[in-house]
């Protein structure tokens, strides 16, 4: 299992979190995704690591800015 922590700018509320979560679920196979506008981050748990370029594209299309990607 892989844990990926995304730094995302532009989320302001719970609806923004849901928007990011839905965009990730629609484009990637994930076990779990949880966003926090207070922490400016999204945590993804998946069997396979998502492609960073596609993550950037999906987040940008959703109207947000991907600023960092950390793997655990």
């Amino acid at each position: 299992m892989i844990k990926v922590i995304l730094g995302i700018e532009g989320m302001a509320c719970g609806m923004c979190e849901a928007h990011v979560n839905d965009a990730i679920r629609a484009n990637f196979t994930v076990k779990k995704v949880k966003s926090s506008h207070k922490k400016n981050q999204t945590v993804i748990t998946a069997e396979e690591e998502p492609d960073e370029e596609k993550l950037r594209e999906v987040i940008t299309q959703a109207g947000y800015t991907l600023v960092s990607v950390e793997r655990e």
Side-chain angles (χ1 to χ4, degrees):
M1 206 60 73
I2 295 171
K3 183 177 180 182
V4 181
I5 302 167
L6 308 177
I8 298 178
E9 289 183 350
M11 293 188 293
C13 63
M15 286 302 296
C16 294
E17 295 170 0
H19 195 201
V20 170
N21 292 347
D22 291 344
I24 290 172
R25 283 189 195 103
N27 289 278
F28 300 96
T29 303
V30 297
K31 289 284 184 189
K32 184 177 178 184
V33 60
K34 183 173 183 185
S35 296
S36 169
H37 70 279
K38 291 180 182 177
K39 294 181 182 179
N40 290 319
Q41 75 177 18
T42 297
V43 179
I44 300 170
T45 305
E47 301 246 345
E48 294 180 17
E49 187 171 332
D51 178 66
E52 190 171 332
E53 276 306 309
K54 187 168 182 191
L55 275 171
R56 190 170 305 284
E57 182 182 314
V58 167
I59 299 299
T60 301
Q61 287 177 353
Y64 306 96
T65 305
L66 180 63
V67 294
S68 66
V69 179
E70 295 177 33
R71 294 154 184 89
E72 287 187 2

